Amino acid sequence: MARFAMPTWMPVRKHTEVSDETHVADVATEDSDASAVRRLSIGRGPVGDIAAGPRAIAVANPADDTLTLLDPHTLAERAVLGLDGEPTGVVVSDDRAYVSVTSAQQDAVVVVDVETAGVTATFPVASGITALAVGPDGKRLYAGRASADRVEVTVIDVTAERAGTIDIGKGPAANIDALALDPRGRRLLVAVTDDRGSQLVIVDAETARVQRVVPVRSPLRDLACAGDTVYALTSDRTIGGAVHVIDLATARVTGTIAVGGAPTQLSLSRDEARVYVVDYDRVHVVDATRLEVVDALTAPVRPSCVAHSADGGELFLADYTGGLSVHAVESTIGMLYSQFLATEPFALSVRQPVGV
């Protein structure tokens, strides 16, 4: 059974350094019937992660330790912020972007005001962050961490500027691969994988206590939540990729959609009707109602990550050359085709269930 420790709070360190370096994005627009596809180059190496909010799109650039902020409507570059370390993940709330960074000196979560493009605070953490999630009201930030076979979630109270720790459990080579919250922010979903497999750990976000544990077996890669339904992405070398449908009310896997390949990330459409799965040479489009793959978006280079716009009308697809493609997704799925080239697959290890 998972073990829980009451939060122990740590202070925040203020940080105000902002890079004055700028870069002009190269934007091109193509109109095709009712669907528009826009492409631009961030120009800072592979895109490590992307998140979109109503006021900004945040792009993590690990190659040069920067965060690029784009206007969510025009895609114009607002600012490029220099970070004290390599950005490994980013999430966005209404007016803040939260970036996990790692360096030889320390690992931390950096808080960025997207309106002023200023770094307002830095929260040091004890070990590297492997997953981020932010509550629907933006008041709590969750950072998944692993250290010495133990997995924990750091909970940051953004308003009070203090942080605590939820002890999830331990297992051989255990790691937190993804975090998600239900739409009301009442349940924290933790994807845990170790040498024996994976499981979804369901945590009460208010009491910080583990409620249920759902075995999934294959290594978990990402999570998305729609009400009482969780879409859990798994991938391993033997079975390939799959999206598992988990009912939070019964804590059971109720369906599985095989997608093949070696997928790494997913994004759920705003209407909760489609799941977009990032694979090594394409993006699979999964019908969440029929539980089947209905389409595939192909890309000129290997896609790295994907995110939906705040209103759900656009899909942002980033790649390993620093490019970004924007697709209209409120029209029919058939309008979403692009031209992508396949790239080399990568191997993932097979693991068995973790005992937490």
Side-chain angles (χ1 to χ4, degrees), residues 116-128:
T116 64
V119 177
T120 61
T122 298
F123 293 87
V125 295
S127 59

Side-chain angles (χ1 to χ4, degrees), residues 49-50 178-180 220-225 230-234 242-244 259 263-269 274-279 283-284 286 304-308 315:
D49 200 9
I50 183 172
L179 294 173
L220 282 159
R221 304 302 174 193
D222 205 1
L223 300 170
C225 187
V230 176
Y231 298 96
L233 177 65
T234 64
V243 177
H244 305 273
V259 298
T264 57
Q265 194 185 58
L266 58 75
S267 182
L268 179 66
S269 65
R274 294 171 298 281
V275 180
Y276 295 84
V277 181
V278 179
D279 205 343
V283 175
H284 304 283
V286 176
S304 60
C305 47
V306 67
H308 278 86
L315 183 73

Side-chain angles (χ1 to χ4, degrees), residues 216-219 234-242 244 256-263 348-352:
V216 185
R217 298 185 180 178
S218 296
T234 64
S235 178
D236 63 43
R237 186 166 48 192
T238 302
I239 302 174
H244 305 273
T256 299
I257 308 105
V259 298
L348 298 172
S349 60
V350 181
R351 300 177 180 178
Q352 301 300 320

Side-chain angles (χ1 to χ4, degrees), residues 130-142:
T130 58
L132 284 176
V134 64
D137 59 5
K139 294 181 179 179
R140 288 184 181 177
L141 180 73
Y142 301 86

Side-chain angles (χ1 to χ4, degrees), residues 9 19 37 53 75 118 141 153 159 165-166 169 178 200 207-208 254 259 264 279 284 286 302 306 323 339:
W9 301 102
S19 171
V37 176
L75 299 183
L141 180 73
V153 175
T159 304
T165 300
I166 301 174
L200 177 71
T207 66
T254 59
V259 298
T264 57
D279 205 343
H284 304 283
V286 176
R302 180 176 169 184
V306 67
Q339 299 300 320

Side-chain angles (χ1 to χ4, degrees), residues 71-72 135 204 224 232 259 286 309:
D71 184 282
D204 186 307
V259 298
V286 176
S309 61

Side-chain angles (χ1 to χ4, degrees), residues 42 45-52 57-63 66-68 87-92 98-100 130-133 222 264-266 278 304-307 316-320 323-324:
I42 305 300
V47 176
D49 200 9
I50 183 172
I57 301 170
V59 182
N61 312 307
T66 62
L67 180 77
T68 300
T88 58
V90 60
V91 293
V92 174
Y98 305 95
V99 191
S100 57
T130 58
L132 284 176
D222 205 1
T264 57
Q265 194 185 58
L266 58 75
V278 179
S304 60
C305 47
V306 67
F316 303 112
L317 175 60
D319 60 52
Y320 283 98
L324 182 66

Side-chain angles (χ1 to χ4, degrees), residues 283-310:
V283 175
H284 304 283
V285 183
V286 176
D287 187 309
T289 303
R290 293 185 287 169
L291 301 184
E292 63 182 12
V293 178
V294 294
D295 206 347
L297 308 180
T298 55
V301 291
R302 180 176 169 184
S304 60
C305 47
V306 67
H308 278 86
S309 61

